[in-house]
Amino acid sequence: MTRWSEFYVHTTREVPSDAEVISHQLMVRAGLIKKLAAGIYTYLPLGWRSVAKMAAIVRREMDAAGAVELSMPAIQPAELWQESGRWQRYGKELLRMRDRHDREFCFGPTHEEVVTDLVRRDVRSYRQLPFNLYQIQTKFRDEIRPRFGLMRGREFLMKDAYSFGATEAQLDEAYEAMRRAYCAIFAACKLEYTMVEADTGTIGGSSSHEFMVVAQTGESAVVSCPCGYGANVEKAESRLAPAVAAEEAPEERRAVPTPGKSSVPDVAAFLGVPPERVVKTLIYETEKEFVAALVRGDREINEVKLQNALAADHLALASEEKVERLTGAALGFAGPIGLPAELRLIADESVRELRNFVCGANEADTHLVGVNWGRDLPLPPVADLLLVAAGDPCPRCGAPLQLSRGIEVGHIFKLGTKYSEAMRCHFTDETGAERPMIMGCYGLGIGRTVAAAIEQNHDADGIVWPLPLAPFEVLLVTLNAADEETRRVADELHARLGALGIEVLYDDRDERPGVKFKDADLVGIPLRVVVGGKSLAAGQVEISHRRDRAKEAVPVAEGLQSILARLAAEGRKTPA
RNA sequence: CGGGGCGUAGCUCAGCUUGGUAGAGCGCACGGUUCGGGUCCGUGAGGCCGGAGGUUCAAAUCCUCUCGCCCCGACCA
């Protein structure tokens, strides 16, 4: 029973200057969220209702999948993070603080440490396994660059679940149950999504999948194939395109002047060779060492793959000054021959079959041509470091891969024993042996999913809520609030719908029709019921759907039934 | 962290180059008008020009520092 005049909604015509993506713009304009600081938002009443609906759907499906809800502290002691090793590794994204006794804490960005600590204190035997604990809670990650409103906030609501089992089979079972639950959740939200293979990042573990809502504004790039293969580009593999000139006889190696030609396309054009015949040498820096990574000139390095191959915690391109010091030449003239020993060499598969290739000479304005593995230098250790591009052959079926963008709304991991070993979360098995528990972890961004839903469900005039996430189910609008008959009919409809448990927002404001219609479109409640002079004169109210705007005038007496029928058609379980 | 930009009314922004009494539109208040797609007209309130220091007779405007925000890149579930 909510009247707009007594509620707290403030819509605006103007788009805030910092809102780039449509979901952010609409959430601000429709009065769903309000920014307090960079990446930190107040959920306004309308927005909070949608977030609460999202959370309820998640709870329902998690409970159905056998997970058990609890709530862990947001503030966590540093010791736990030191124990897992992530206090050092997690970096600046971890918001750290000290209490009055100068003890170190962090605001939890995730809860592996806390939940593992909890479980190791309580659980001793395989007979107490498996189980899956989840919570819906505010996290904080001090993102380098928060943006896009709720899509990439620093403070955000997340559902995180952690499964504990005694065997790999129990982990597989929990993982599968979560996969199904996620599918059910995103289907319930009427979202178009895909599940793709993913890198495990700082969370760690053996295998993981991401749930991506398809959107051009998505921050993640994913490759997909009609055969069913799908992966985050960070993880994606492809079959190798054939190397050029694999059968050529070796030529003489020569140094040639290439004044000012520092990019692969420039060098290739200048020397009259295809870029595929150039070996690109990129100098990276990790926390341990400098690395020269080789990739074929027409391709790019996948830095996530490189970081994994190097088992490094941090990886970044070396600065220009460092490159000059290490290679003895300006940026763009580095090559694998004659580098200082302190540089570790690693090559992508794409360079393995090259013959008579071109590379930098580690000398100003000079490249080497006619270079061959074995004769001129040994082939360095080879790994898959390739950033997959659109059109590359699918690793499973060979068909050209497609590249698209998505919003990562869920991520499930098989953690294995990474945390249980580090934190000695052990149990006793049937044979009396002590073993680490086998864990999984399953994240789902609540606010981000709501934002993604808007990204996928809007038009030029505003949000078009899918019914399950809509802050209200019905928007009841009076066009002339001063008219007694109008008010009487609307008040009665409002009361009756409310009595049936239908969530109605009653726009009883004394505003011009245009204002109320614009607000109705912007706020995007699925079903709109208008009580106004024109139709009321004929004894009717007007019912319309936000999505297709199809209007129908129905007699006042039949209004209630018509509304219930339409909600039922949208999948709402109507009261008897 | 590197590069770029912006902080002036509640919001979106002019004014700054060339220093001289603070502006517009929207929103808000009041009066009239209008009344099924952000009516129209009038009146009014509202600003330590992000903060500190400096130059100057005089600073929103020039200089220095600082804080905050935004964009691009690198980073991340």
Side-chain angles (χ1 to χ4, degrees), chain A residues 202 265 369:
Chain A
T202 37
V369 303

Side-chain angles (χ1 to χ4, degrees), chain A residues 287-334:
Chain A
E287 74 279 5
K288 312 180 273 207
E289 61 195 343
F290 289 99
V291 177
L294 310 182
V295 66
R296 216 172 65 189
D298 59 326
R299 305 306 305 254
E300 302 296 327
I301 289 272
N302 179 331
E303 295 188 351
V304 173
K305 287 183 180 177
L306 177 59
Q307 185 171 350
N308 289 339
L310 297 169
D313 291 337
H314 300 288
L315 177 81
L317 275 170
S319 67
E320 196 168 340
E321 303 78 62
K322 286 175 180 166
V323 170
E324 283 177 20
R325 177 171 64 74
L326 289 161
T327 67
L331 214 56
F333 297 93

Side-chain angles (χ1 to χ4, degrees), chain A residues 360-414:
Chain A
N362 298 319
E363 190 184 324
D365 292 334
T366 310
H367 278 77
L368 301 176
V369 303
V371 183
N372 285 279
W373 301 120
R375 184 192 67 186
D376 299 312
L377 77 161
L379 181 68
V382 170
D384 173 16
L385 305 178
L386 193 70
L387 185 67
V388 170
D392 282 357
C394 169
R396 293 208 191 136
C397 75
L401 289 169
Q402 294 176 336
L403 199 58
S404 53
R405 303 197 69 79
I407 301 162
E408 182 194 338
V409 288
H411 199 160
I412 58 180
F413 300 78
K414 289 187 182 176

Side-chain angles (χ1 to χ4, degrees), chain A residues 466-483:
Chain A
L467 185 64
L469 295 183
F472 290 90
E473 297 166 301
V474 175
L475 179 67
L476 176 62
V477 182
T478 55
L479 289 189
N480 186 357
D483 176 64

Side-chain angles (χ1 to χ4, degrees), chain A residues 520-546:
Chain A
D521 289 345
L522 182 58
V523 167
I525 292 166
L527 211 56
R528 190 183 81 186
V529 180
V530 175
V531 182
K534 217 161 72 178
S535 43
L536 199 57
Q540 296 175 319
V541 294
E542 177 194 279
I543 303 178
S544 63
H545 292 263
R546 175 64 182 86

Side-chain angles (χ1 to χ4, degrees), chain A residues 58 62 109-112 132-136 139 141 156-163 175 178-179 181-182 185-186 203 208-212 408-415 440-446 448-449:
Chain A
V58 169
M62 293 305 291
T110 176
H111 280 67
E112 282 81 7
N132 190 349
L133 299 173
Y134 81 96
Q135 61 177 348
I136 292 174
K139 311 282 189 202
R141 296 187 188 173
F156 59 102
L157 256 189
M158 175 165 149
K159 185 283 301 175
D160 48 328
Y162 305 89
S163 69
Y175 194 80
M178 287 297 103
R179 190 191 65 75
Y182 277 37
I185 289 165
F186 297 125
I203 304 285
S208 94
H209 287 89
E210 288 171 338
F211 287 79
M212 296 281 189
E408 182 194 338
V409 288
H411 199 160
I412 58 180
F413 300 78
K414 289 187 182 176
L415 289 176
C441 101
Y442 316 93
L444 191 153
I446 303 286
R448 187 184 276 191
T449 304

Side-chain angles (χ1 to χ4, degrees), chain A residues 93-135:
Chain A
E93 208 178 310
L94 186 62
L95 179 66
R96 297 158 211 251
M97 60 194 99
R98 287 168 189 277
D99 71 5
R100 59 164 63 191
H101 305 295
D102 220 28
R103 280 193 290 250
E104 288 189 296
F105 289 85
C106 64
F107 197 113
T110 176
H111 280 67
E112 282 81 7
E113 281 81 1
V114 175
V115 77
T116 304
D117 176 65
L118 173 78
V119 169
R120 70 179 169 184
R121 295 162 185 273
D122 284 336
V123 180
R124 290 279 112 84
S125 161
Y126 74 97
R127 295 201 233 185
Q128 295 163 312
L129 295 166
F131 54 83
N132 190 349
L133 299 173
Y134 81 96
Q135 61 177 348

